[in-house]
Amino acid sequence: MTGTQRRRQLLDVARALFAEKGFDGASVEEIAHRAGVSKPVVYEHFGGKEGIYAVVVDREMDQLLSAITESLSEDMHPRTLLEHAAMALLDYVDTSTDGFRILVRDSPVASSTGTFSSLLSDIASHVEHILGVHFSRRGYDAKLAGLYAQALVGMVALTGQWWLDVRKPRKTDVAAHLVNLAWNGLSHLEHKPKVRR
């Protein structure tokens, strides 16, 4: 294998192991064993468990942040914005289950990598900007966009964590109910919401 191929292989093995056992349960020895290499190969590429974990987490954070921010734009109707954000997160949970498991686990205290809460903060900042534009257009106080962004992102993220394990109801139904709650509020819930994508 070339150095690039070996690095990719080690990242794939480590990603699966961190998803299965978490940071504390995984070891350099097991990463090396599963990859069919010696421990020094892992150390050579990543400097240790913390190094490979940091790269795995950074890759997952970039992938999720890109998926969500690319699904949103200022010219969307606010309800469509909610639907796209909810579906982007749930799509990531569905297609990158190992990655999402890694992101929602506690990262090691000494780690310099991002955490799930910092990722959510990044997403909320992006959503805040878009909501601020919509708030201003509609005569609402744009200073409150941050509060609403945090609430919406938190609601979707926590539901995504729950759905990670239960997988019921279907992904589109989960998104529809999230949007129903966010859009209509508890006092105006639709009886059978559907995503209007």
Side-chain angles (χ1 to χ4, degrees):
M1 279 188 187
T2 66
T4 302
Q5 290 169 327
R6 178 66 70 198
R7 184 176 171 84
R8 190 176 312 120
Q9 178 211 22
L10 291 170
L11 285 168
D12 291 343
V13 167
R15 181 180 185 268
L17 188 59
F18 288 133
E20 177 187 333
K21 296 187 173 188
F23 178 82
D24 291 332
S27 68
V28 171
E29 292 85 358
E30 191 164 3
I31 293 168
H33 174 75
R34 288 187 181 189
V37 298
S38 64
K39 286 186 344 185
V41 173
V42 178
Y43 288 115
E44 176 186 326
H45 284 276
F46 298 100
K49 184 167 80 166
E50 291 81 5
I52 197 167
Y53 181 81
V55 174
V56 168
V57 168
D58 286 346
R59 282 178 32 179
E60 294 302 325
M61 288 180 65
D62 287 347
Q63 183 181 347
L64 178 55
L65 184 60
S66 293
I68 292 176
T69 57
E70 288 170 9
S71 73
L72 310 176
S73 71
E74 291 176 11
D75 60 346
M76 286 180 175
H77 184 275
R79 182 175 178 136
T80 304
L81 185 90
L82 291 170
E83 290 175 351
H84 280 239
M87 284 302 298
L89 178 74
L90 294 171
D91 283 341
Y92 176 80
V93 172
D94 197 25
T95 61
S96 297
T97 301
D98 282 353
F100 192 71
R101 284 190 196 286
I102 292 165
L103 290 178
V104 298
R105 289 185 193 268
D106 292 334
S107 59
V109 176
S111 174
S112 62
T113 64
T115 62
F116 190 56
S117 62
S118 68
L119 172 66
L120 295 181
S121 181
D122 289 347
I123 293 168
S125 293
H126 186 75
V127 171
E128 177 181 356
H129 170 72
I130 294 171
L131 284 180
V133 170
H134 285 287
F135 278 28
S136 293
R137 287 180 189 162
R138 289 169 172 75
Y140 294 107
D141 184 356
K143 293 177 194 164
L144 294 174
L147 177 133
Y148 283 91
Q150 292 290 331
L152 293 170
V153 169
M155 180 177 72
V156 173
L158 286 175
T159 303
Q161 283 183 276
W162 167 78
W163 189 73
L164 174 66
D165 293 320
V166 298
R167 298 297 173 116
K168 290 182 182 177
R170 293 176 315 156
K171 177 174 47 177
T172 53
D173 292 339
V174 173
H177 283 280
L178 283 168
V179 172
N180 188 26
L181 175 60
W183 189 253
N184 297 309
L186 289 173
S187 63
H188 295 93
L189 288 177
E190 296 171 347
H191 293 284
K192 295 190 180 204
K194 295 197 180 333
V195 173
R196 301 175 186 180
R197 278 174 108 167

